[in-house]
């Protein structure tokens, strides 16, 4: 009997530079959860998702090492959490295919991330990018995860994952029972989106209406986790603001996306909330606030970036961690997929 009552799964794609959105929306939460003994934590580098868009194989390897280094440098401890890369555990692909046959086209047609990424070129996009949420559901349900820490942008995919779990449980209720399983086969996972003071969504530094993202062309739109202190300071100094002084109440940020973003970044880095930050800086000009934000960001993110850069140089060490993690993940995934195969009627 496992000592854990809850199981966490989450992942990050090795598809671009890791930024502050990935840190505050995901990695910082992973570290918090790891400290809670009731959770068993599984953190994946989801390399199979990274090939859904055009990619360079030489860079994919480097990015996989970089995401792993970011996990470790942020405080994820491979002796406490399972850390591995997705493609090493083939059960992700097997369950992903079965879910392609469970999910409905109408469900996927509603996914806004595909629409955002494909734009007007949807005909030219890979089938993989379209079916991405089915593989994401497989990633989570393969471990019957109870909780999934993600940024707000992933909420819709999480809902689809829950729909897939429910449809599978319903469609195969009889076979599940025949296997001697009394309850639902797949657990409905709960998203963990807004906790620990993290902002719901970290926005682009040059346009507060867009999310901070690795695919934005200009590097000035984001803070990379391994930016050095000078770069970090330069980007925050140049971050877009407006001419007004900072308000004293959160309501005063409603029509001011850039101000709201910088305040919520400060709050997340400081483990506080936006109102507490405004209590301190309300009425002041951006220049004073930005100086404090730069100091805080350099203190919090600077050491993580330095440690990432140090770890990346030791490829063998990182690869050993990923291999060991994959062995542990496979031990959990293999029996589950075997049961799924029996349930759908495959000869195993
Ligand atoms: N801006 C963000 N604010 C809060 N959370 C964010 N996440 C990403 N961007 C933000 C969270 O980071 C985790 C990993 O994300 P991913 O690897 O699946 O990539 P993504 O969401 O596609 O991130 P990018 O950098 O924005 O990539 P592109 O540019 O390709 O869209 C997730 O938990 C996500 O919520």
């Amino acid at each position: 009997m496992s000592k854990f009552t809850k199981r966490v799964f989450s992942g990050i794609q090795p598809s671009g530079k890791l930024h502050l959105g990935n840190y505050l929306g995901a990695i910082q939460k992973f570290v918090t959860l790891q400290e809670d003994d009731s959770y068993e934590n599984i953190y994946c580098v989801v390399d199979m998702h990274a090939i859904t868009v055009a990619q360079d194989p030489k860079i994919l390897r480097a990015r996989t090492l970089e995401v792993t280094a970011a996990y470790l440098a942020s405080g994820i401890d491979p002796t406490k959490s399972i850390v591995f890369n997705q493609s090493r555990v083939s059960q992700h692909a097997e369950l992903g295919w079965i879910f392609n046959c469970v999910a409905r086209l109408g469900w996927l047609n509603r996914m806004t991330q595909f629409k955002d990424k494909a734009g007007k070129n949807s005909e030219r996009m890979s089938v993989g990018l379209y079916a991405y949420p089915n593989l994401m559901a497989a990633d989570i349900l393969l471990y019957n995860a109870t909780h999934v820490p993600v940024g707000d942008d992933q909420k819709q995919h999480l809902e689809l994952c829950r729909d897939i779990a429910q449809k599978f449980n319903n469609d195969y209720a009889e076979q599940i029972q025949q296997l001697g399983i009394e309850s639902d086969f797949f657990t409905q996972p709960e998203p963990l989106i807004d906790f620990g003071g993290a902002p719901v969504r970290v926005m682009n530094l040059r346009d507060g209406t867009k999310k901070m993202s690795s695919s934005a062309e200009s590097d000035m739109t984001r803070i990379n986790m391994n930016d050095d202190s000078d770069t970090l300071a330069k980007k925050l100094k140049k971050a877009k603001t407006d001419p007004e002084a900072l308000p004293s109440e959160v309501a005063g940020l409603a029509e001011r996306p850039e101000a709201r973003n910088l305040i919520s970044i400060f709050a997340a880095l400081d483990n506080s909330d936006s109102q507490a930050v405004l209590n301190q800086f309300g009425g002041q000009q951006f220049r004073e606030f930005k100086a404090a934000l730069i100091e805080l960001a350099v203190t919090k993110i600077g050491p993580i970036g330095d440690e990432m850069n140090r770890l990346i140089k030791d490829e063998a060490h990182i690869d050993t961690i990923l291999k060991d993690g994959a062995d542990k993940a496979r031990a959990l995934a293999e029996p589950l997929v075997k049961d799924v195969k029996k349930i759908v009627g495959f000869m195993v």
Side-chain angles (χ1 to χ4, degrees), residues 10 45 51 71 105 133 165 226 244 287 289-290 316 320 326 343:
S10 198
V45 184
I51 65 164
Y71 284 172
L105 275 181
N226 59 353
E244 307 290 319
R287 206 159 57 85
F289 168 68
K290 275 189 174 179
T320 303
I343 289 167

Side-chain angles (χ1 to χ4, degrees), residues 176-207:
I176 292 168
Q177 225 180 17
Q178 278 165 9
L179 217 62
I181 299 169
E182 295 298 331
S183 55
D184 281 342
F185 184 79
F186 285 120
T187 308
Q188 296 259 329
E190 293 294 333
L192 293 173
I193 290 177
D194 195 10
F195 78 102
V200 163
R201 199 178 283 212
V202 180
M203 308 307 278
N204 180 311
L205 295 179
R206 312 294 285 184
D207 177 352

Side-chain angles (χ1 to χ4, degrees), residues 261-275:
N261 187 36
L262 295 180
I263 294 287
S264 65
I265 289 175
F266 191 106
L269 288 172
D270 204 29
N271 291 322
S272 73
D273 59 54
S274 294
Q275 188 53 57

Side-chain angles (χ1 to χ4, degrees), residues 72 75 91 115 144 310:
L72 303 177
Q91 285 77 9
K115 289 181 197 156
N144 257 328
R310 190 189 70 77

Side-chain angles (χ1 to χ4, degrees), residues 164-183:
I164 289 177
Q166 193 176 15
K167 184 161 165 52
F168 185 94
N169 290 339
N170 289 344
D171 288 356
Y172 294 106
E174 199 185 315
Q175 291 76 10
I176 292 168
Q177 225 180 17
Q178 278 165 9
L179 217 62
I181 299 169
E182 295 298 331
S183 55

Side-chain angles (χ1 to χ4, degrees), residues 70-178:
Y71 284 172
L72 303 177
S74 302
I76 292 174
D77 174 352
T79 65
K80 291 186 184 164
S81 299
I82 298 176
V83 178
F84 72 107
N85 58 313
Q86 183 189 26
S87 60
R88 274 207 167 109
V89 180
S90 59
Q91 285 77 9
H92 286 257
E94 292 183 72
L95 191 59
W97 175 255
I98 292 170
F99 286 172
N100 282 344
C101 305
V102 174
R104 306 289 93 183
L105 275 181
W107 300 357
L108 288 176
N109 284 340
R110 286 194 285 276
M111 296 298 112
T112 53
Q113 187 173 53
F114 178 78
K115 289 181 197 156
D116 292 345
K117 287 200 172 175
K120 293 195 179 83
N121 292 324
S122 61
E123 296 280 315
R124 300 170 67 104
M125 293 294 131
S126 75
V127 175
L129 186 67
Y130 184 74
Y132 171 118
N134 294 344
L135 181 59
M136 179 169 158
D139 300 337
I140 297 163
L141 298 178
L142 190 53
Y143 303 98
N144 257 328
T146 53
H147 294 83
V148 186
V150 280
D152 165 73
D153 56 317
Q154 293 296 329
K155 202 171 175 176
Q156 201 185 27
H157 290 165
L158 245 298
E159 278 158 15
L160 187 114
C161 171
R162 291 169 61 89
D163 289 343
I164 289 177
Q166 193 176 15
K167 184 161 165 52
F168 185 94
N169 290 339
N170 289 344
D171 288 356
Y172 294 106
E174 199 185 315
Q175 291 76 10
I176 292 168
Q177 225 180 17
Q178 278 165 9

